[in-house]
Amino acid sequence: MDAATQTAPGPCSAGTTGLLSVGRRCLSLHYACPVELRQLRYFVTVAEELNFGRAAERLHIAGPSLSQQIKALERDLKVSLFDRDRRSVTLTAGGAALLPHARALVVQADELRRRAAGLLTSEPVRIGYVNWCPTDWAEQAAGVAQLRVDTWVMPSHTQAARVADGNLDLAICWVQTTDLASLSLNAHLIGVDRLYALSVGSDTSPVEASDTLVLLDADEATWSSWNRYAERFAADTGARIVRVDDGGVTGQAFFEHVRRLRRPVLNNPKGQDTQEPRGLVRRSVIHPTPLWTWSLVWRQGEDSPAVRALIGEFTRETPELGADDEEAWLPATDPHRPTGFRTEADRRPSPTTRRPAPRRAERVKSRGAEEVSPPRDPGSAPRSSR
C-alpha cells in the first residue's frame, strides 16, 4: 500500500480532536475515544436505510455483525444513535446530529485515499462471485476505487471466463491451474471451505471419504466446476459417484437424494451454510478431508490502476488454507495446493495398518439416480477432466 495511505498499527491517540486516519484503523470525532472509520461507514449506511437488514445487504456483512458494530460505536461515543423496535429503526436526536459530520468524514476519507493513490476514475471496477464473498470487501474497496458488484451470480467456470473476455474485471470463484493457463488469468486464495457429508439419522461421527457418495449433475453448463472437483475426489479416495439430472447437487433436491440413498453424501460448497432439514445431520469427512478453495482471479497483465489497487486491497492477507493437515485433500490441479502436498497415493497404509480393499465396481439405479464406483483404483493418479 502507498505510504500515504498507511496507518500506524496501534490505535489513534486518545483525546485527539478532528483527527482523520486515512486507512481503516480509526478516527476521532471531537471525542476522547477513538472511533473506527468502518463503524462510521456502517452508521451512515444504517441511517440512510433505516433498516438493519437492507444496510447489512448493502455492506455485504451479516446482520448480527452490523448490529454489534453499531452497539460498539454507541458505547465508544457514549451516545444512543438509533431507536429500535421490532417494526422500525429511527435516528435519535444524537444520531441525527452526528450523521452529517460522520457522512462528511467518510466521504473525505474515501476521497483522500483515492487522491493519495492517484486512482480517481469514472469507470467502476466490476466484480462477480458465485455464492461467497468476504464480508468486508465493500468497506475495503470504498476508499480505493469505485466497485460495482455484478448482480449475475453465475457458476465458477462462467465467472472466470467473463474475467478473461473482459465482461468482469475480477471474480471470486473456484479455478484449476488448467483454467488459469487457458484463460490467461492470475489467482489469489481468499477463502477455503471444509466440505462435509450429509447423512440420514442422528449419527454425527466422522465418515471415511471412501464411504461417501458424491453427486454429479448432467447439466455441465451449471455444474462443470463441481463435476470436475467431484470426479477427482472420487478417483483419489474411492468415494462413489451418483449421477443425477435434476440439479440435485444442492438445495431441496439434494436433501431428497440423501434421504433416498441413505448413505453419507458429500455436500456442494453452494450449500455450505444452508441449514439441513430435520432428520439429516452433518458428518465430517476424514481420510482425507476435502477442501474447496475460493480464488480472486484477474487477467494477466492487468494495467488498470483501479483494478490493480483493488487487487492489492483484496490480496493483502491470505487465509489459512488448512492444507498442512495430513488428512486434507485438494485436487492435484488446485492452484493453491502447497508444493510437496501429499496425495492419496502417498498416504497408502503399510501392510500392518492396511485398510480394507476397495469394493468392486457396481451400478445401482435409484429413481433416476445412477451410482457407480470410481473407474480406477483410488490410489492411482487423478485423471484429467475438462
Side-chain angles (χ1 to χ4, degrees):
M1 183 168 61
D2 190 289
T5 65
Q6 290 181 337
T7 59
C12 299
S13 300
T16 305
T17 300
L19 175 66
L20 172 64
S21 177
V22 179
R24 289 186 294 145
R25 287 295 104 193
C26 53
L27 59 111
S28 185
L29 263 173
H30 303 279
Y31 291 91
C33 178
V35 177
E36 289 192 21
L37 176 60
R38 175 183 60 178
Q39 291 176 333
L40 280 189
R41 194 184 304 282
Y42 291 172
F43 163 60
V44 170
T45 304
V46 175
E48 291 174 348
E49 296 291 343
L50 291 179
N51 182 288
F52 274 79
R54 289 196 300 268
E57 183 176 355
R58 180 171 150 190
L59 290 163
H60 295 281
I61 67 173
S65 296
L66 176 59
S67 182
Q68 290 171 7
Q69 290 295 322
I70 294 297
K71 289 178 181 178
L73 179 61
E74 290 175 324
R75 286 195 304 269
D76 289 343
L77 298 181
K78 297 180 175 58
V79 173
S80 176
L81 301 174
F82 298 100
D83 287 325
R84 286 162 273 194
D85 59 34
R86 293 184 178 180
R87 296 184 178 180
S88 65
V89 175
T90 58
L91 279 165
T92 63
L98 178 61
L99 179 58
H101 303 288
R103 181 182 285 122
L105 281 169
V106 170
V107 170
Q108 290 169 15
D110 292 347
E111 180 72 9
L112 183 56
R113 292 184 70 192
R114 283 194 291 265
R115 287 189 181 279
L119 293 169
L120 286 176
T121 176
S122 59
E123 290 296 322
V125 176
R126 301 156 300 173
I127 185 167
Y129 65 102
V130 179
N131 70 300
W132 176 88
C133 60
T135 57
D136 63 348
W137 69 347
E139 175 210 341
Q140 287 181 267
V144 179
Q146 297 181 63
L147 182 68
R148 178 188 295 165
V149 180
D150 192 83
T151 57
W152 289 8
V153 178
M154 295 183 171
S156 286
H157 62 282
T158 302
Q159 298 294 46
R162 294 178 70 204
V163 173
D165 63 24
N167 287 318
L168 291 174
D169 299 303
L170 302 168
I172 298 173
C173 56
W174 179 84
V175 289
Q176 300 180 102
T177 52
T178 48
D179 300 321
L180 300 179
S182 63
L183 297 173
S184 298
L185 298 176
N186 291 325
H188 182 90
L189 178 70
I190 59 169
V192 182
D193 281 337
R194 185 178 293 260
L195 303 188
Y196 54 85
L198 209 60
S199 182
V200 174
S202 58
D203 181 7
T204 58
S205 63
V207 59
E208 297 273 340
S210 60
D211 292 331
T212 64
L213 303 178
V214 58
L215 305 186
L216 271 66
D217 197 277
D219 181 6
E220 283 289 326
T222 301
W223 301 110
S224 171
S225 295
W226 170 252
N227 285 353
R228 286 183 285 165
Y229 179 95
E231 285 178 339
R232 283 184 165 83
F233 178 75
D236 262 9
T237 67
R240 293 172 182 260
I241 291 172
V242 176
R243 301 186 183 278
V244 299
D245 58 6
D246 56 359
V249 299
T250 189
Q252 188 59 42
F254 174 70
F255 299 145
E256 292 303 319
H257 284 307
V258 175
R259 292 189 181 98
R260 182 180 307 125
L261 295 166
R262 305 198 68 79
R263 289 173 59 186
V265 184
L266 190 68
N267 81 296
N268 180 286
K270 193 171 180 64
Q272 183 76 3
D273 298 321
T274 301
Q275 180 62 47
E276 62 274 9
R278 181 178 297 181
L280 300 181
V281 294
R282 297 187 185 190
R283 300 177 65 179
S284 58
V285 179
I286 59 174
H287 303 144
T289 298
L291 304 180
W292 176 278
T293 58
W294 294 106
S295 297
L296 179 72
V297 300
W298 64 93
R299 290 178 291 275
Q300 293 178 8
E302 178 60 64
D303 58 3
S304 165
V307 176
R308 298 294 305 178
L310 279 184
I311 293 170
E313 282 291 322
F314 292 154
T315 62
R316 186 177 300 152
E317 297 179 358
T318 299
E320 193 70 30
L321 179 61
D324 293 337
D325 182 352
E326 288 190 354
E327 294 302 330
W329 178 87
L330 288 169
T333 53
D334 192 293
H336 311 299
R337 180 176 165 129
T339 303
F341 188 70
R342 298 175 69 196
T343 65
E344 279 305 287
D346 298 327
R347 298 188 183 104
R348 285 177 180 170
S350 65
T352 57
T353 60
R354 186 173 55 192
R355 296 175 189 161
R359 289 164 289 190
R360 292 180 298 173
E362 60 184 72
R363 189 181 301 270
V364 179
K365 292 280 188 176
S366 179
R367 296 188 187 177
E370 182 177 67
E371 179 185 341
V372 296
S373 45
R376 57 176 63 241
D377 185 287
S380 61
R383 63 190 176 194
S384 177
S385 172
R386 289 286 298 167

